[in-house]
Structure formats: C-alpha cells, structure tokens
Amino acid sequence: AEPPVSAGWGEAVAAAVGALRAGGLVAVPTDTVYGVACLAQDSRAVRSIYSLKGRNGRKPLAICLGDVEHVYRYCHVNVPDELLRDLLPGPVTLVLKRSEELNKDLNPFTSLVGVRIPNHPFIRELARACSGPLALTSANISCQASTLTVSEFQDLWPQLSLVVDGGPVGDVQSPECRLGSTVVDLSVPGKFTIIRPGCALTSTVEVLRQKYGLVPESS
C-alpha cells in the first residue's frame, strides 16, 4: 500500500506543478532513489535535464505516469493489462514501443520508452496533476552514485527550480536500494529482456516467467 499523504503535500504538489509548467526541473522522492523530473512534452526542459546529468543525450530518459491506464496513451502495449498492474506501481521500469503522442525530442534515437509508475504517493499525485508524462531520471550526475537523501545531491540544487524533501527514501544502509528500478524490455511479444537488474529483479522475473510464461529474449 502507498504510505499516507502528509498534510503539507498538497502545497508541495502545487509548487512542483507550477515549477514544472514553467519549464523547470524538480527533484522528487520515488520508491527507489531520488529523481529529477521535468515535463516530458517540453523539449526545452528535456534538454535541461540532459545537461544537468552531464549526458550526451544518448542515454534515454524514462517517462513517469500516475496510473496504469495512462500507459496506453504514450506506448504500444503488447502484454496483458494484468501484467502491467502486477508490476506497476512499483520499483520497475517497463520498456515498451512508444506512441506518436510522445514528444519526438525525448530520446529521439529510439522507438522505445521506459515507463515508471513509482509506488510513492507524492510523485504519482504530481504526475496526475501535470496532465502529461514527466521525464524522470535519477538525481545524480551520470557515473556517480544514486541518492537516497536530498543532501546527497546538493551539488545539483542550483540547477533545480524546486527540491521536494521527502526524507530518506529506501534504506540508506542497504546497497540494493541504490540500484534504482529494475528495467525490463517488454517490446517483443512473448519475451522479456532485463536491461538493468535493479532492486526488484527476482520478483519481477518471477511474475514474467511463472505467471505470464514470457521467456528471456536471449534464449
């Protein structure tokens, strides 16, 4: 179950929506590590997020949505709806074929997109309030460790419009937590490919293989 929403959250969501609509980057807690989000349909903001990460723009950004039913607008889904609902919301990124609805400037080099619905009420509320997908990446410079508290990415604060401090996420003591979400490609019918093992590998593979009979792509 999602943790309860605390009293100040309505204001924080409103402030974050305002910052995002103005083209800003916002740091947010998720169910794995801290993330940086912008509006996925705002090409200028997407470019800002690439430069924040120190990326060459070849490493794809995920999109974050509030609810499973929104996945169908931005992706071509070729797995059962129940499979999506078994894995989402949760610490998993599902890679699917992108639809025409998605901003062409977001990861223009690939026909696929990673979809995230974190099991965290704040970011889900934020995604719902933005009426469009968020582009989401981890709150750290590429090649550096992912972050579980806002102080760990203090060097990025000057480039962010807003930092939402949700307290420590995950378990600061556990190295698994820093792995981020498990990334799995479901774009080939009947198959799956693990792109990043992440923090939920065993449970994800179990659902895909045992419940849905998908086979690993390499076999």
Side-chain angles (χ1 to χ4, degrees):
E2 292 183 27
V5 175
S6 58
W9 272 25
E11 285 166 49
V13 169
V17 169
L20 291 167
R21 288 200 175 135
L25 307 184
V26 175
V28 285
T30 76
D31 55 353
T32 54
V33 297
Y34 267 85
V36 173
C38 74
L39 296 184
Q41 305 297 69
D42 180 339
S43 298
R44 236 173 114 176
V46 167
R47 282 194 290 277
S48 304
I49 220 169
Y50 279 131
S51 67
L52 171 91
K53 292 286 285 192
R55 279 187 172 170
N56 52 14
R58 294 289 300 176
K59 205 169 173 199
L61 298 167
I63 60 169
C64 169
L65 300 166
D67 298 284
V68 169
E69 44 272 26
H70 300 152
V71 173
Y72 294 88
R73 185 167 171 191
Y74 302 103
C75 302
H76 299 294
V77 179
N78 53 15
V79 293
D81 187 69
E82 197 188 345
L83 185 158
L84 297 185
R85 292 175 191 278
D86 280 343
L87 296 177
L88 303 175
V92 180
T93 300
L94 301 183
V95 177
L96 301 163
K97 287 199 161 66
R98 61 194 284 161
S99 80
E100 292 296 300
E101 285 277 319
L102 199 58
N103 180 3
K104 306 272 181 294
D105 292 331
L106 183 87
N107 314 334
F109 46 86
T110 171
S111 59
L112 305 177
V113 67
V115 180
R116 209 53 180 96
I117 302 179
N119 188 23
H120 193 292
F122 181 83
I123 193 166
R124 291 186 69 190
E125 206 50 55
L126 181 59
R128 289 179 190 127
C130 284
S131 68
L134 303 176
L136 184 66
T137 186
S138 53
N140 56 292
I141 294 166
S142 287
C143 309
Q144 292 188 359
S146 53
T147 57
L148 302 178
T149 66
V150 295
S151 59
E152 288 182 355
F153 59 90
Q154 225 162 335
D155 51 337
L156 300 182
W157 290 4
Q159 296 170 75
L160 304 172
S161 298
L162 184 70
V163 175
V164 177
D165 186 352
V169 294
D171 173 0
V172 183
Q173 300 308 311
S174 154
E176 277 76 57
C177 276
R178 291 194 193 268
L179 297 174
S181 63
T182 294
V183 182
V184 57
D185 185 337
L186 297 176
S187 64
V188 177
K191 306 205 165 169
F192 71 91
T193 306
I194 300 296
I195 293 174
R196 177 174 75 189
C199 62
L201 179 64
T202 312
S203 55
T204 302
V205 169
E206 197 170 305
V207 167
L208 296 175
R209 292 192 83 147
Q210 293 176 6
K211 186 166 178 186
Y212 294 98
L214 299 188
V215 293
E217 173 69 290
S218 51
S219 62

